Each structure stands twice: as C-alpha cells, then as structure tokens.
Amino acid sequence: MAQNPERTIKEMTSLDLNQQPLCIEYPTLDVDFELKTGLIRLLPTFRGLAGEDPHKHLKEFHVVCSGMRPQGVTEEQVKLRAFPFSLGEKAKDWLYSLPSGSIVSWNELKKQFLENYFPASRTITIRKEISGIRQFFGENFYEYWGRFKHLVESCPHHQIADHLLIQYFYEGLTEANRSLVDAASGGALYENPYRSTQIDQNHGIQRPTIWE
C-alpha cells in the first residue's frame, strides 16, 4: 500500500477551514423546527462566573422552554437546541470545549453542566455550611430564615433529612429566638415527637398533624 508523502511544516501549520461540529448530537426531527428569536431573547444567561447558581439557571431555563411546545417536537429536543443560547462568556467556552458528538440527550447535557459548575466539592462545602449555620449578630429571625432557606435550595441534592435540617436551623438560632420557637411549638422543640415538622417564618413550627 502506498504511503502518503510526509507533510511539510507549512501544510501542518496551515489553517483548518473545516467547521468543527458541536458537542451536541441533535436527533433527527420529523418536522421542520427552528428556534424563534422571541424564545432566545427570553432565555436566562449563565456566564460561568463565581457566585452564579447553576441550579437556578436550569430552573429558569426550564420555565422558558416548557412554555414552548411545537407540534411534533419534544421538550427535550427544544432544550437541546436552546441551551447553547443560554450560555455566555466562560460557560460558552466550556460547552465548545466538549468533544464533538459527546452529548446525545438533555439529561446528559444537564449532567455535564452540573458536574462542571456544581462539583462534589461544592456540595460538601454547602452541607458543612448547612450543618454549621449560625444566626449573625443583629440578624433578625426572618433574615436568618431566608439565608438558611437559600442555602438549602442552592443544593437540591444535599441529602440531609428534614429532621436534621430543623435541628441545624434551631441550634443556629440565638438563645432569644430559640425561646420564641419553643414557645410557638408548644414547649421545648426537642421534647416534641417529630414526624414532618416544618419551620415557618413566624418564629415557629407549623404542625398539621405532626405532633402527638
């Protein structure tokens, strides 16, 4: 078999004018479909910057895409095509860096996105913050509750049982606010049998059929 002649340095350093395919392998559709400009403008933007919440981005992205249901096109197919338009700056660079054709489903794309922007180390950090939360000096009950709630919601897969969440929240209260919670729950919180206790913002515990 004849061998190709050795390439010259000029040939090896010449520009590749072929368009590299995206990492997403789009499924073939039975109908004509294109993303409307109006939909693209409604999409949230995730830039991959420090402090951005990837879970919140996915929620907002879902809200926009779920409102668009073209006939013959599934929501997953809409999301696969729309997601690149919801990324900017570093996040778009990340998407372009993935191997061509490596993404074939929305779940796989979402998994890759979360693994990159919400790694296991971040989950561990948030779990520690939840278990060690403390009410700040000068922080009222409502502000503390809001901070705790935001922390928990920022990591949907924290896998901390509800009764432990309540324990961490309660132990982090100042002594004065802990007394208010005890009074609102009809006595010391730890003396009440727990089933599905929920903390609310009114200095206390909601207890619809949870106490015996």
Side-chain angles (χ1 to χ4, degrees):
M1 181 180 294
Q3 294 183 348
N4 293 328
E6 293 184 2
R7 299 174 63 191
T8 65
I9 294 178
K10 181 178 180 180
E11 290 173 331
M12 289 188 292
T13 57
S14 62
L15 296 175
D16 183 0
L17 301 181
N18 294 321
Q19 178 65 47
Q20 295 300 314
L22 194 63
C23 63
I24 303 173
E25 188 76 30
Y26 296 112
T28 303
L29 300 178
D30 297 328
V31 297
D32 291 332
F33 171 70
E34 64 178 21
L35 293 174
K36 302 298 183 182
T37 303
L39 171 67
I40 295 175
R41 288 176 178 172
L42 291 174
L43 293 173
T45 301
F46 185 89
R47 296 178 173 82
L49 305 177
E52 285 187 289
D53 186 345
H55 287 289
K56 182 180 179 181
H57 177 72
L58 289 176
K59 285 181 181 179
E60 294 175 345
F61 179 78
H62 171 74
V63 168
V64 175
C65 292
S66 62
M68 182 180 182
R69 297 290 182 85
Q71 188 173 2
V73 181
T74 66
E75 185 176 314
E76 174 172 327
Q77 292 166 343
V78 172
K79 288 180 176 179
L80 272 176
R81 286 166 169 76
F83 194 70
F85 293 98
S86 75
L87 303 180
E89 300 179 22
K90 294 181 179 180
K92 183 155 288 188
D93 291 340
W94 162 78
L95 184 71
Y96 290 161
S97 71
L98 297 178
S100 300
S102 60
I103 304 295
V104 297
S105 70
W106 167 242
N107 282 337
E108 177 62 25
L109 179 54
K110 185 167 59 173
K111 178 175 178 289
Q112 292 281 355
F113 176 70
L114 288 175
E115 285 182 350
N116 189 73
Y117 290 106
F118 209 105
S121 58
R122 186 171 176 183
T123 300
I124 293 172
T125 297
I126 292 180
R127 282 174 57 90
K128 289 180 179 179
E129 290 178 359
I130 292 173
S131 63
I133 193 167
R134 292 293 182 270
Q135 189 174 6
F136 295 142
F137 177 78
E139 183 180 39
N140 63 40
F141 184 92
Y142 304 100
E143 292 169 340
Y144 173 61
W145 162 250
R147 183 163 60 88
F148 177 79
K149 184 179 179 183
H150 175 74
L151 188 60
V152 172
E153 291 178 346
S154 70
C155 185
H157 53 287
H158 55 71
Q159 296 184 338
I160 301 176
D162 288 348
H163 71 281
L164 287 177
L165 289 176
I166 291 178
Q167 177 182 326
Y168 298 149
F169 177 87
Y170 178 80
E171 291 177 345
L173 287 166
T174 61
E175 185 175 348
N177 276 310
R178 204 176 301 160
S179 297
L180 289 173
V181 169
D182 288 342
S185 60
L189 180 62
Y190 287 146
E191 294 178 1
N192 289 296
Y194 171 80
R195 283 186 182 173
S196 58
T197 310
Q198 294 180 328
I199 302 173
D200 68 11
Q201 293 188 30
N202 297 316
H203 293 99
I205 307 296
Q206 294 179 333
R207 45 176 185 168
T209 70
I210 58 175
W211 306 107
E212 294 180 341

